[in-house]
Amino acid sequence: MVFANIEFPDEFVFKFLCYGIVIENKAITYLIVYYKYSMFYLLHPSLTNLVALTYCISCQICSKSLQQLSSDMKEYEPIKFSTKIQTDFLMNRNRIIKVLEEIQEIFSKASFVICIANFMSCFSNLGELIFYSPKRITLILIEAIFMSTSTLVTLLSIFYSAGQVPLELNKFSRINRKQCQKRAFLGEIEENATLDRMLFQEETFVLSGCEMIYFTRSGILTVLGTLLTYGLLVVSVDLKKENK
């Protein structure tokens, strides 16, 4: 963007970034603009992507741990799947859930802010393409594609990685119930009211951003649909203005 302003000077951009102060020295002006744009890209998308990457990796580690736990439980023969073994698996799962609760506590606000920032960034880039000067369309297009790709990939990665957690938890519960059913079919029935309540009355843990945005796999289609709908709406409004 700085190089675009150097090639195609735009006094509005310089005045905007310099708070309306007219600076006669062009070198200082370009230095201020370069510094502000550098800080802008450092905060978004660099810093937000780094936080999102940490969040996604943490979710993936927990998902892989749950997946391995489900795989180990599935390999057990039903006759050997006693109450003690079942309790051990549930204890291991609860340890993973405790880690997930810590992740939720740490990244809840950050993930919410990142999702909102990336969502609005997509519309900001669309606005640049629509309203910016046509003589800079190539440079603006490159910037918009880069920023939109970065923000969209980050946004979808959060929903994909965090959305894997409830899927793995449901898979664990499903395999656990199947093992208990197979054991019951073999005549090995052990009644344990506590375990029954843990299995059938528990709620699936879902990661969220401030309990306002819930990260599930189905949310990916919701995000894409929302972006497409409002994006087409903005474009249609702009086309109507041009026709007038």
Side-chain angles (χ1 to χ4, degrees):
M1 182 64 76
V2 177
F3 297 112
N5 288 319
I6 293 174
E7 186 177 356
F8 305 106
D10 190 345
E11 294 300 327
F12 171 76
V13 175
F14 292 126
K15 288 181 180 180
F16 177 77
L17 293 174
C18 296
Y19 304 105
I21 301 172
V22 179
I23 302 175
E24 296 181 358
N25 192 325
K26 292 295 183 181
I28 296 177
T29 304
Y30 287 125
L31 183 63
I32 293 173
V33 172
Y34 179 79
Y35 171 76
K36 289 200 170 184
Y37 272 117
S38 298
M39 292 302 297
F40 171 75
Y41 286 116
L42 178 64
L43 293 174
H44 180 78
S46 300
L47 182 60
T48 54
N49 285 354
L50 183 61
V51 175
L53 179 62
T54 306
Y55 182 62
C56 291
I57 291 175
S58 302
C59 293
Q60 283 294 322
I61 291 173
C62 292
S63 297
K64 292 296 182 182
S65 300
L66 286 168
Q67 188 177 13
Q68 184 62 44
L69 201 61
S70 299
S71 179
D72 293 341
M73 183 168 56
K74 191 175 183 179
E75 292 177 357
Y76 257 90
E77 295 181 9
I79 195 67
K80 296 181 180 179
F81 195 70
S82 62
T83 302
K84 182 181 181 304
I85 298 298
Q86 186 181 11
T87 304
D88 290 340
F89 277 111
L90 289 174
M91 288 177 64
N92 290 330
R93 187 202 60 169
N94 286 341
R95 292 191 188 99
I96 298 173
I97 291 178
K98 285 183 179 179
V99 175
L100 288 169
E101 289 174 348
E102 292 180 2
I103 293 173
Q104 170 67 17
E105 185 177 353
I106 294 170
F107 289 98
S108 178
K109 294 180 181 178
S111 60
F112 176 77
V113 172
I114 290 172
C115 287
I116 296 299
N118 287 343
F119 188 81
M120 297 305 296
S121 178
C122 292
F123 290 107
S124 174
N125 295 326
L126 179 62
E128 272 190 307
L129 289 175
I130 293 175
F131 299 110
Y132 228 88
S133 176
K135 62 185 178 181
R136 303 189 204 175
I137 188 62
T138 303
L139 293 172
I140 296 300
L141 184 62
I142 293 173
E143 181 193 16
I145 291 175
F146 171 75
M147 290 294 294
S148 298
T149 303
S150 175
T151 54
L152 192 59
V153 168
T154 302
L155 187 61
L156 297 182
S157 296
I158 291 175
F159 276 86
Y160 183 87
S161 300
Q164 182 68 23
V165 172
L167 294 179
E168 293 298 336
L169 286 171
N170 288 333
K171 181 181 178 182
F172 177 91
S173 299
R174 187 168 59 253
I175 293 174
N176 196 357
R177 286 194 296 269
K178 284 184 178 180
Q179 290 288 62
C180 292
Q181 288 174 358
K182 290 178 181 179
R183 185 174 173 82
F185 294 154
L186 295 173
E188 298 290 336
I189 300 176
E190 298 179 16
E191 294 185 0
N192 192 318
T194 303
L195 282 179
D196 291 340
R197 284 196 298 270
M198 290 175 63
L199 289 172
F200 298 105
Q201 296 181 6
E202 66 178 0
E203 296 182 358
T204 303
F205 184 85
V206 180
L207 291 164
S208 66
C210 293
E211 296 187 356
M212 297 176 67
I213 303 176
Y214 289 91
F215 302 125
T216 60
R217 288 289 177 85
S218 60
I220 294 176
L221 292 178
T222 303
V223 170
L224 292 176
T226 304
L227 288 173
L228 181 62
T229 301
Y230 285 100
L232 292 175
L233 180 62
V234 172
V235 172
S236 65
V237 170
D238 181 65
L239 291 176
K240 287 181 180 179
K241 288 183 179 179
E242 289 184 356
N243 292 332
K244 289 181 180 180

